[in-house]
Amino acid sequence: MTSRSLRAISIAALVVPAALVLAGCSGGGSDRATASGTATAGVVGRPVSQTCAELVPTDTFSVYGQQFERVRAPKPTKGSPVAQIAAQDGRVCTWRSTADDDVTVTVAVAHLPGKQLTQLKDALFEQGGSVPTYTVEGYFTLSGKTGRADAFADPYWIHTSSTLFTEPGAAQPVVDAVRAAVAPDARAPESSAPTP
């Protein structure tokens, strides 16, 4: 049994969305979201300096066969991973298809201390869906028609979701672009891979 497995067992009660590890925070709705005054005590994140255009260059979307435009004031759903990242002084970006308003791609990035990253990784590990092709420790889930990818390029938590993400590989171009922008040399530690 790996150390990751042991940690996962010790937090088995966290079979809730990983973002709840940062509970007590509330989200903002702008590109550079910050925590509200009442949630300040819960903010542990550091500002993410990269812009949305730096995180996901426009040509990243060409693989989806659609043109996208950035939503200037994204509004994260309360309690969602995106709202939790916004509350941690993270960067929140949303793009909408110019052909179909219902097709969006949302990216949220938080710069977090190691302890919080470990808790998030363990909660996602417990839920399953590990994706080794994300280069760093990564996870994918499909809920209804929306795919969610989470990747950890320490000290960054990268979260992205879209109805375009029907399987882990569909999210790969976005995950790769963000990882390259925030931590181009990041790699998954060998100890994060479960052993048979």
Side-chain angles (χ1 to χ4, degrees):
M1 188 173 285
T2 66
S3 61
R4 169 78 62 209
S5 298
L6 293 173
R7 283 197 310 256
I9 291 168
S10 70
I11 62 160
L14 290 176
V15 185
V16 294
L20 295 181
V21 171
L22 301 171
C25 303
S26 62
S30 68
D31 178 46
R32 159 64 79 202
T34 57
S36 67
T38 59
T40 303
V43 177
V44 296
R46 293 171 54 186
V48 173
S49 62
Q50 291 84 357
T51 66
C52 292
E54 291 170 330
L55 291 172
V56 185
T58 305
D59 62 353
T60 304
F61 297 116
S62 63
V63 299
Y64 302 113
Q66 301 181 46
Q67 296 289 322
F68 284 82
E69 59 187 10
R70 194 160 67 82
V71 175
R72 296 296 172 180
K75 295 180 175 32
T77 303
K78 186 177 180 179
S80 69
V82 176
Q84 297 297 328
I85 287 172
Q88 295 302 316
D89 214 3
R91 178 74 68 189
V92 175
C93 313
T94 298
W95 292 266
R96 178 176 290 122
S97 169
T98 57
D100 183 350
D101 284 351
D102 292 333
V103 177
T104 61
V105 175
T106 297
V107 169
V109 182
H111 182 291
L112 298 171
K115 179 179 178 182
Q116 280 71 25
L117 286 173
T118 298
Q119 291 173 338
L120 288 163
K121 291 174 188 178
D122 288 347
L124 287 167
F125 179 84
E126 179 68 20
Q127 294 174 25
S130 178
V131 183
T133 59
Y134 288 170
T135 305
V136 295
E137 186 171 345
Y139 300 89
F140 181 84
T141 58
L142 187 62
S143 178
K145 294 182 178 180
T146 302
R148 166 188 171 173
D150 293 278
F152 297 92
D154 294 350
Y156 296 96
W157 171 25
I158 300 165
H159 170 86
T160 184
S161 60
S162 177
T163 54
L164 294 172
F165 303 159
T166 55
E167 48 91 20
Q172 184 94 40
V174 174
V175 171
D176 286 349
V178 178
R179 180 188 47 77
V182 297
D185 297 326
R187 297 282 181 262
E190 291 185 29
S191 63
S192 68
T195 55

